[in-house]
Amino acid sequence: MDDQRLDLSSLDRHGDPVRYRQRVSALAAAALAPAPHPFLHEFMAWGRGAVAVGAILAVVTWLPVWSSVGPSQAAASGSVDQVLQVAAWAQAGAIPSDADLLALSGVPDAR
Amino acid sequence: MTAEPSDGDLVVRARRGDASAMETLAHRYLRASYAVALSVLRHPADAEDASQEALLTALRSLDQCRDPARFAAWLFQSVRHRALKQITHRRVRARHADEAEHGAVVEADAERVLLRQRLLSALERLTPAQREVVLLHDLEGWTHPEIAVALEISDVMSRQHLFVARRAMRDHLANPSTEDAQHG
């Protein structure tokens, strides 16, 4: 029987024991590191698509409404101003006067 | 006999999150995984990548190892699969390039590079089983009983593969063909 070992050392990629040990440690650490749960991963991937589709649907649905609104746009922006004003009072702890409230509700020259 | 823990024990402990068991498994099988990947890919850098990826995947999915005592056979099957997939996806790099880009030591010894090419060429003449046996035995220093268990062949078959493989490789190295002259 042929007992003479072939010298295959030139094929060796792990000749340096220190590097080998480091590689082994890194592999073991990576194996123990928590990987994202497959279900969660799938769900998140699916969720991103759903959000994108939802956004497109919302835009498509609201586009005709937006274009036909016209005059009420001003009212819409006015309601935003009202909300901001009330929020400002609440934040400052101020109690609005009757005149302020009337002005806010759109009564002209209430003050 | 040494008191080294068996693969079965290590797998069971590693499944429970035992870091030292995980590290022992990685230490025991990283080199051997490389040998198995090299027998398929016949390209050291690619084999190194494939073996690390396969070993990491195996260690992360130890729950899928039905028989912990047969961890080596299960792992090697995964390594072969990964290596074959790498070939299929044509990710094998050019045979004569690449050492520097993967952080490998740049070999100034041209003779060593030439010898490696001739060894790889000689390996191509062998069957997959012969390649695995000769690499595990002569490169990694495994014994025939160890090889027999991991490759799920008999001890006698392991010896037979090694005998035939060595003879074929020596013949090839002694009489390099014109094909090798082109490679070299």
Side-chain angles (χ1 to χ4, degrees):
Chain A
M1 207 66 171
D2 175 11
D3 288 331
Q4 193 67 44
R5 190 180 290 267
L6 285 171
D7 180 8
L8 302 180
S9 59
S10 67
L11 298 176
D12 194 1
R13 303 281 291 187
H14 304 107
D16 182 347
V18 175
R19 275 191 69 197
Y20 185 73
R21 173 57 72 181
Q22 287 171 345
R23 200 163 293 181
V24 163
S25 298
L27 261 176
L32 284 168
H37 194 281
F39 173 75
L40 191 63
H41 199 71
E42 294 249 333
F43 180 78
M44 285 176 71
W46 175 85
R48 277 195 291 272
V51 168
V53 170
I56 291 168
L57 280 175
V59 169
V60 168
T61 307
W62 277 98
L63 209 55
V65 177
W66 231 310
S67 60
S68 65
V69 166
S72 64
Q73 275 181 334
S77 79
S79 68
V80 172
D81 291 342
Q82 290 166 344
V83 170
L84 287 174
Q85 181 61 63
V86 171
W89 285 332
Q91 207 167 14
I95 300 171
S97 64
D98 294 343
D100 288 335
L101 289 173
L102 285 172
L104 190 67
S105 63
V107 178
D109 299 327
R111 293 182 195 208
Chain B
M1 288 291 283
T2 58
E4 285 189 6
S6 69
D7 285 358
D9 291 340
L10 290 171
V11 169
V12 169
R13 283 167 47 200
R15 278 175 176 169
R16 292 197 292 250
D18 184 330
S20 76
M22 192 71 87
E23 191 156 337
T24 305
L25 278 174
H27 188 268
R28 193 175 283 182
Y29 285 107
L30 179 57
R31 290 184 64 101
S33 298
Y34 165 74
V36 172
L38 184 61
S39 75
V40 177
L41 292 163
R42 278 155 282 157
H43 187 281
D46 285 326
E48 192 175 21
D49 289 348
S51 59
Q52 285 186 35
E53 287 170 16
L55 182 57
L56 179 59
T57 303
L59 292 175
R60 275 182 173 162
S61 49
L62 286 175
D63 286 339
Q64 293 171 26
C65 180
R66 289 178 189 168
D67 185 354
R70 292 178 56 244
F71 171 76
W74 177 73
L75 168 66
F76 288 174
Q77 191 60 37
S78 171
V79 173
R80 287 185 206 107
H81 180 74
R82 173 78 60 164
L84 288 169
K85 201 169 156 189
Q86 200 159 324
I87 290 175
T88 309
H89 289 185
R90 299 181 182 281
R91 284 165 51 203
V92 179
R93 289 181 285 271
R95 190 160 287 255
H96 299 292
D98 88 83
E99 295 289 339
E101 76 181 56
H102 282 266
V105 176
V106 176
E107 288 169 296
D109 187 350
E111 275 188 25
R112 187 176 164 85
V113 175
L114 182 63
L115 175 61
R116 187 174 63 211
Q117 296 306 330
R118 289 175 62 193
L119 284 171
L120 291 169
S121 175
L123 281 172
E124 286 184 13
R125 268 94 183 150
L126 308 180
T127 65
Q130 288 167 354
R131 280 197 292 268
E132 287 187 358
V133 170
V134 76
L135 287 169
L136 285 172
H137 192 281
D138 284 359
L139 179 61
E140 304 304 339
W142 279 32
T143 63
H144 285 295
E146 288 170 338
I147 294 171
V149 168
L151 301 188
E152 299 189 307
I153 58 177
S154 70
D155 193 285
V156 172
M157 184 58 75
S158 176
R159 290 173 193 278
Q160 175 71 10
H161 281 323
L162 182 65
F163 177 77
V164 175
R166 280 176 172 172
R167 191 176 56 185
M169 288 185 73
R170 285 209 174 93
D171 284 350
H172 182 76
L173 293 170
N175 306 297
S177 64
T178 51
E179 187 184 341
D180 283 344
Q182 288 166 5
H183 280 292

